[in-house]
């Protein structure tokens, strides 16, 4: 089997001391920020990005990815113990996890989430291993028009599937693309939007923008609202062991949750939060005893936890096989690849097989490490929940400032971060999602280049995007995604007009 | 003054600022060559994208409020965190790592209302230890621990 040969080479790379160490650091940091409410995986990855400039590309990728999937493991801890989700993906875990804790079954709930997280993650990795190389091979024939339309589809899907108003999502994408204009235009060599400031020649830094939008604005939103809590102590290993009944009930939900998570995670924009919601909804439908949900049903934590962990693994499929990030975390990882001089796209797996398979192998190792971190060491994480936020945020603020400055030892980046942070805070308050800005910022320059190249090739004939079959299909799907919510909106409006006051 | 404080007005103002931002992108983009469809210039996409931003911004102004806003901005953290970052930006290269970190942390610490003097000192010590350990000894950023401005 070709896959196993490649994977064993991957393990040779991932099992070197350096890579093992950074995998461990990554998943540990991930669990830490996953457990803590008020700081998420995205902020942490942006924070860690400048630090990884000092590492080699492989170690950097392994560590950043570890933070991402590690945070999924930690995130349900606070949901179960405190009814307070550690990250947005763990909202669903509150519904049945907290009632379980109230019934004195917190240990069982934590154990079940750790195991189902691992199973979901494993299913995700297996499918990622098999699907990504196939998709990449199919995409090798893509020309500039296909790239342009698939990126367009990715952007539109990512902003309209996310929560809130699609119009606000679209405008944030466009703002992200506009931010990408700053600096020297790759094609004409002309400086754009720099206003005579030579510090802006290289463009606005990804780290500064990401840290501002997600780090600083997160701080602003959390100060004064996030409180340390008193979680129940005394979770012994004995109290964690599930009964035979629990195991029997969890089997089906875990399997269904993994598959739902995998499919949703691979779609652009849908991500782990939506995956866990859908998995939970599915369980309440197929269950013979739906009345038990919301009152501490073990199925209600098994399915969503399997789903969000499968989703974070399959989110790597479009990123690694096509170079199209499905969400903001993947966009930052893609940015990290580009900063390290690697061009993402269908050629990535063929050109850098050792990097792709090394990363996959590190996922296996990381998920095993997480199982150890989350079962025997769970008491440690519970204690972390008691760290008060007024100690935490000055530390985060310091890391953010020094981190951004250290990228190129230039204070301009700190001012850019501050601007992005304050703007991001206001936008967040008024319901504008920040993640699409980052997607637009990273994909914008690539799209401009592919758009220019497509038209050059077609001598200015705009129909080139409709003439090529794959490109036409992608455009049709894009149009479909834009139009569907509009139809619903018009229908609602009409219903309102018809209805008597 | 009451109408200024209503969230619907705030929503419209933010949308208007988005639209003005879009108009600015168009205006600045028009200074670069637009090119032709076969050879698009550096001004092509800025104009197109700017028009898009302005159009959606205006649509959002027309729509006014939606239900997504729960509360307005919290001014105290906003001012103090901004102040802390500016303190850092101004002080780091002039006075060195230690004074910049201490000053930034002190400004940041008062953003939470319930921090006493003793815990403020403890927080400063903790932050300083991490900053010096990680960025001076670890990554060796080219800024001294102390510097007396000339």
């Amino acid at each position: 089997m070709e896959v196993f040969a490649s994977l064993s080479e991957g393990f040779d790379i991932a099992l070197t001391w350096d890579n093992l160490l950074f995998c461990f650091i990554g998943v540990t940091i991930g669990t830490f920020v996953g457990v803590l409410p008020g700081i998420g995986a995205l902020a942490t990855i942006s924070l860690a990005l400048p630090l990884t400039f000092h590492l080699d590309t492989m170690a950097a990728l392994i560590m950043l990815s570890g933070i991402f999937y590690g945070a999924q493991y930690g995130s349900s801890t606070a949901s179960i113990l405190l009814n307070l989700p550690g990250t947005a993906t763990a909202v669903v875990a509150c519904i049945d996890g907290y009632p379980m804790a109230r019934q004195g079954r917190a240990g069982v709930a934590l154990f079940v989430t750790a195991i189902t997280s691992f199973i979901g993650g494993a299913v995700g990795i297996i499918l990622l291993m098999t699907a990504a190389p196939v998709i990449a091979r199919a995409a090798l024939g893509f020309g500039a028009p296909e790239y342009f339309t698939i990126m367009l589809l990715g952007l539109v899907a990512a902003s309209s599937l996310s929560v809130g108003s699609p119009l606000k999502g679209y405008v944030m994408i466009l703002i992200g693309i506009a931010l990408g204009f700053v600096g020297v235009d790759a094609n004409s060599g002309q400086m754009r939007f720099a206003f005579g400031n030579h510090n802006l020649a290289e463009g606005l830094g990804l780290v500064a923008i990401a840290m501002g939008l997600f780090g600083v604005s997160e701080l602003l939103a959390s100060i004064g609202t996030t409180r340390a809590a008193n979680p129940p102590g005394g979770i012994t290993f004995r109290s964690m062991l599930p009964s035979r009944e629990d195991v029997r009930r969890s089997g089906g939900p875990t399997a269904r949750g993994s598959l739902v998570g995998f499919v949703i995670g691979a779609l652009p924009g849908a991500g782990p939060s939506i995956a866990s919601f859908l998995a939970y909804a599915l369980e309440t439908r197929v269950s013979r005893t739906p009345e038990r949900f919301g009152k501490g049903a073990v199925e209600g934590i098994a399915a969503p936890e399997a789903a969000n962990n499968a989703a974070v693994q399959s989110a790597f499929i479009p990123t690694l096989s096509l170079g199209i990030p499905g969400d903001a975390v993947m966009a930052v990882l893609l940015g990290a690849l580009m900063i390290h001089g690697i061009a993402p796209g269908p050629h990535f797996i063929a050109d850098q097989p050792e990097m792709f398979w090394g990363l996959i192998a590190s996922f296996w190792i990381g998920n095993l490490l997480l199982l150890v971190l989350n079962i025997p060491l769970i008491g440690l994480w519970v204690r972390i929940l008691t760290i008060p936020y007024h100690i935490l945020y000055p530390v985060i603020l310091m890391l953010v400032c020094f981190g951004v400055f250290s990228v190129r030892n230039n204070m301009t980046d700190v001012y850019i971060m501050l601007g992005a942070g304050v703007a991001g805070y206001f936008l967040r308050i008024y319901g504008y999602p920040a993640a699409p800005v980052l997607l637009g910022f990273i994909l914008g320059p690539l799209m401009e280049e592919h758009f220019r190249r497509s038209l050059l090739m077609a001598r200015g004939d705009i129909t080139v995007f409709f003439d090529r079959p794959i490109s036409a299909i992608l455009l049709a799907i894009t149009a479909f995604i834009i139009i569907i919510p509009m139809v619903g909106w018009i229908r609602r409006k009409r219903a309102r007009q018809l209805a008597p006051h | 003054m009451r109408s200024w404080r209503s969230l619907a007005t705030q929503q419209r103002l933010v949308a208007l600022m988005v639209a003005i931002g879009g108009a600015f992108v168009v205006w600045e983009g028009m200074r670069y060559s637009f090119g032709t469809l076969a050879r698009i210039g550096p001004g092509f996409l800025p104009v197109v994208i700017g028009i898009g931003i302005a159009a959606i911004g205006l649509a959002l102004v027309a729509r006014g409020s939606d239900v997504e806003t729960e509360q307005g901005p919290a001014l105290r953290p906003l001012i103090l965190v901004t102040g802390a970052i500016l303190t850092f930006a101004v002080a780091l290269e002039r006075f060195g790592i230690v004074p910049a970190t201490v000053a930034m942390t002190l400004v940041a610490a008062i953003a939470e209302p319930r921090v006493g003097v003793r815990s403020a000192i403890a927080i400063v010590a903790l932050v300083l230890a991490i900053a010096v350990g990680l960025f001076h000894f670890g990554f060796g950023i080219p800024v001294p621990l102390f510097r007396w401005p000339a």
Side-chain angles (χ1 to χ4, degrees):
Chain A
M1 283 289 281
E2 197 189 315
V3 172
F4 289 107
S6 310
L7 187 61
S8 87
E9 279 169 39
F11 272 107
D12 289 344
I13 294 162
L15 283 172
T16 59
W17 283 112
D18 270 13
N19 290 339
L20 212 52
L21 175 68
F22 286 108
C23 184
F24 177 74
I25 295 176
V27 296
T28 308
I29 296 177
T31 309
F32 182 81
V33 299
V35 168
L36 279 177
I39 175 164
L42 190 52
T44 313
I45 289 174
S46 339
L47 203 80
L49 194 53
L51 309 186
T52 64
F53 293 166
H54 304 268
L55 305 177
D56 75 52
T57 316
M58 189 74 247
L61 263 187
I62 287 177
M63 185 172 120
L64 294 173
S65 312
I67 296 175
F68 179 45
Y69 58 81
Q72 299 306 321
Y73 274 77
S75 63
S76 48
T77 306
S79 308
I80 292 167
L81 295 177
L82 305 170
N83 203 21
L84 191 74
T87 62
T89 55
V91 175
V92 185
C94 295
I95 307 174
D96 278 287
Y98 188 61
M100 279 183 81
R102 297 280 301 263
Q103 294 157 13
R105 301 196 340 120
V108 176
L110 291 169
F111 186 87
V112 169
T113 53
I115 299 286
T116 54
S117 292
F118 179 78
I119 296 172
V123 171
I125 305 171
I126 291 172
L127 294 171
L128 162 66
M129 264 162 52
T130 34
V134 178
I135 295 174
R137 226 166 299 157
L140 279 177
F142 280 14
E146 283 82 12
Y147 275 118
F148 174 77
T149 45
I150 200 168
M151 287 180 189
L152 189 69
L153 171 61
L155 284 181
V156 169
S159 56
S160 63
L161 287 179
S162 61
V163 281
S165 146
L167 264 190
K168 287 180 176 172
Y170 296 143
V171 81
M172 293 307 269
I173 283 186
L174 296 180
I175 288 174
I177 295 176
L179 292 175
F181 291 145
V182 177
V184 176
D185 175 29
N187 180 46
S188 64
Q190 175 155 19
M191 279 278 263
R192 293 192 292 186
F193 292 86
F195 313 106
N197 186 337
H198 65 93
N199 282 318
L200 295 177
E202 294 165 45
L204 302 174
L206 167 65
V207 176
I209 298 277
M211 283 235 221
L213 284 179
F214 301 102
V216 175
S217 72
E218 184 97 44
L219 276 179
L220 289 170
S222 302
I223 291 174
T225 59
T226 308
R227 292 270 160 271
N230 287 315
I235 290 170
T236 59
F237 187 69
R238 256 191 96 79
S239 78
M240 292 179 79
L241 290 177
S243 67
R244 195 166 293 182
E245 176 72 6
D246 290 327
V247 175
R248 194 184 58 75
R249 284 186 186 281
S250 309
T254 307
R256 284 187 291 269
S258 303
L259 291 177
V260 169
F262 175 79
V263 173
I264 302 297
L267 299 176
S273 309
I274 295 178
S276 57
F277 270 106
L278 284 181
Y280 188 86
L282 179 68
E283 287 312 312
T284 59
R285 292 277 161 76
V286 300
S287 171
R288 285 201 205 99
T289 51
E291 68 281 356
R292 290 174 46 254
F293 282 86
K295 296 172 190 153
V298 75
E299 299 95 312
I301 53 171
E305 281 306 300
N308 68 35
N309 285 278
V312 292
Q313 300 298 348
S314 66
F316 284 91
I317 292 179
T319 313
L320 295 178
S321 63
L322 300 172
I324 313 288
D327 64 13
V329 174
M330 286 296 130
V332 173
L333 281 179
L334 203 71
L337 271 177
M338 295 197 278
I339 288 168
H340 282 273
I342 292 171
H347 295 276
F348 171 72
I349 299 175
D351 292 352
Q352 313 264 359
E354 64 295 334
M355 197 160 282
F356 175 76
W357 292 104
L359 191 61
I360 301 273
S362 87
F363 291 170
W364 286 112
I365 298 166
N367 273 280
L368 274 175
L369 289 173
L370 282 164
L371 209 50
V372 177
L373 283 175
N374 280 277
I375 293 178
L377 298 180
I378 187 73
L380 181 73
W381 303 115
V382 173
R383 231 165 298 149
I384 276 173
L385 277 173
T386 58
I387 299 179
Y389 199 69
H390 70 260
I391 293 184
L392 210 56
Y393 81 79
V395 176
I396 298 173
L397 188 65
M398 179 275 292
L399 290 173
V400 163
C401 288
F402 275 101
V404 169
F405 174 78
S406 72
V407 173
R408 23 173 221 158
N409 298 316
N410 191 325
M411 207 48 87
T412 314
D413 291 341
V414 176
Y415 290 112
I416 294 170
M417 172 192 75
L418 179 59
V422 173
Y425 175 62
F426 275 98
L427 293 168
R428 173 197 289 245
I429 290 175
Y430 296 107
Y432 294 79
V437 178
L438 210 60
L439 281 173
F441 180 69
I442 288 180
L443 288 182
L446 299 172
M447 285 177 77
E448 182 174 17
E449 181 56 24
H450 288 301
F451 184 69
R452 191 187 62 80
R453 232 186 267 169
S454 307
L455 286 177
L456 191 65
M457 204 170 73
R459 297 199 182 80
D461 183 3
I462 198 102
T463 58
V464 63
F465 296 108
F466 307 98
D467 288 345
R468 298 171 63 117
I470 294 176
S471 161
I473 292 168
L474 293 169
L475 273 182
I477 300 173
T478 310
F480 189 72
I481 294 175
I482 296 178
I483 291 166
I484 285 296
M486 283 167 132
V487 172
W489 182 74
I490 291 167
R491 208 176 273 163
R492 270 199 305 280
K493 194 153 197 194
R494 218 174 261 166
R496 211 176 302 154
Q497 281 168 350
L498 290 177
H501 287 284
Chain B
M1 282 307 281
R2 210 182 147 71
S3 66
W4 277 92
R5 298 209 180 144
S6 87
L7 288 170
T9 315
Q10 290 177 20
Q11 286 266 13
R12 277 180 209 266
L13 266 178
V14 171
L16 185 66
M17 273 158 67
V18 168
I20 292 172
F24 173 74
V25 173
V26 176
W27 180 73
E28 176 70 19
M30 295 213 295
R31 297 180 42 216
Y32 313 116
S33 136
F34 193 78
T36 63
L37 265 185
R39 247 170 224 290
I40 63 168
F44 181 88
L45 219 56
V47 170
V48 173
I49 298 287
I51 290 174
I53 296 174
I56 299 182
L58 288 178
L60 289 170
V61 173
R63 193 175 67 174
S65 71
D66 49 20
V67 288
E68 288 153 34
T69 308
E70 284 157 13
Q71 57 182 43
L75 286 180
R76 186 185 169 112
L78 185 64
I79 292 167
L80 289 169
V81 169
T82 305
I85 296 174
L86 285 177
T87 307
F88 171 85
V90 171
L92 183 70
E93 286 170 303
R94 283 196 187 80
F95 302 105
I97 292 176
V98 174
T101 310
V102 172
M104 167 175 67
T105 310
L106 283 177
V107 176
I110 44 180
E112 279 270 1
R114 301 167 307 145
V115 177
V117 175
R118 209 182 277 177
S119 63
I121 293 172
I123 292 170
V124 169
L126 175 76
V127 174
L128 191 60
I130 302 176
V132 171
L134 196 59
F135 291 98
H136 180 72
F137 293 109
F139 296 112
I141 60 168
V143 178
L145 289 179
F146 291 95
R147 174 182 282 164
W148 308 118

